Amino acid sequence: MKNLSVDFLRSFVTIAQTGSYTMCAERLKRTQPAISLQIKKLEEMVGEKLFSREGNRLTLTLAGSKLLEFGMKILMLNDQAMAEFGRPQVSGNIKLGIPSEFSTTLMPKIIRRFTQSYPEVSLEVHCALSKDLLCEPLKNQFDLILSLQEMPDAEQDGYIVTDQLVWVGSQRFVNSMPEKLPLIAAPSPCIYRKRATHTLGKQKKQWQIVYTIGDLNGIQTAINEGLGITVLAKSTVPPGLHILPPSPDLPDLGQIGVCLVNPQKVRSEAIELLAKTMVTELAT
């Protein structure tokens, strides 16, 4: 039986995430011809074409989409195994800034795995609005910042993945929607708030902000009380809340990008390991 190459799969998954052979080569620190050769050999191994090109756009074929699911799982298990058995003795202090909505869903799992793998690393996590984290002088307090892009840009330094924005509400709003939409949102300049009000304005849909709070737990409580609906990245929707399907009342919100930046350009083994862990987990 043939064995899939982890190196080939890492190149394939990176191309699928970035949409670019060039970006993949830069991220993996390889030459573009070497990446192209890996993909060619991987296609020969599975007997299928993995990418198709429409003009300047690179897309996955049906076979590519199927292999991507397996590839991300294989890479995740490989990296977890290497972290467990090839664990270096790493120490240091890291200050990490993350958007508040990531603090209750995705990040606790990622941070737990990292601290278990590298117990000598002291990790301090601060939650705030993405734009606040990137403003002076706050951003210079952090070694790494997980931030949002209003428009996904795979060419931007630190880009990880694209996420869909969705309407979120309680069971009360699943089957019926009031004429004037009650919105629960974080204070300006929240990207989600801006996208919601701009999208509804374009559709000439009536709305009003009924509750403003920057904490996701507070937003969730307000939603559970039936005060209104909100906008979140799909991957961060907490259990118990309902993703409301797009409709004439709830127009499509588009996408955002998720990226990881090193504002002070400080490099250390601990910072590099945390960044790699976050990119692997968030892109899976």
Side-chain angles (χ1 to χ4, degrees), residues 9 11-12 48 86 92 96 141 153 190 200 204 214 221 230 266 284:
L9 285 175
S11 295
F12 166 67
E48 298 279 359
L96 171 66
Q141 298 178 19
D153 181 6
C190 172
L200 293 173
K204 295 182 170 53
T221 299
T230 196
V266 174
T284 301

Side-chain angles (χ1 to χ4, degrees), residues 31 66 122 267:
T31 65
K66 291 180 179 178
S122 174
R267 299 293 178 185

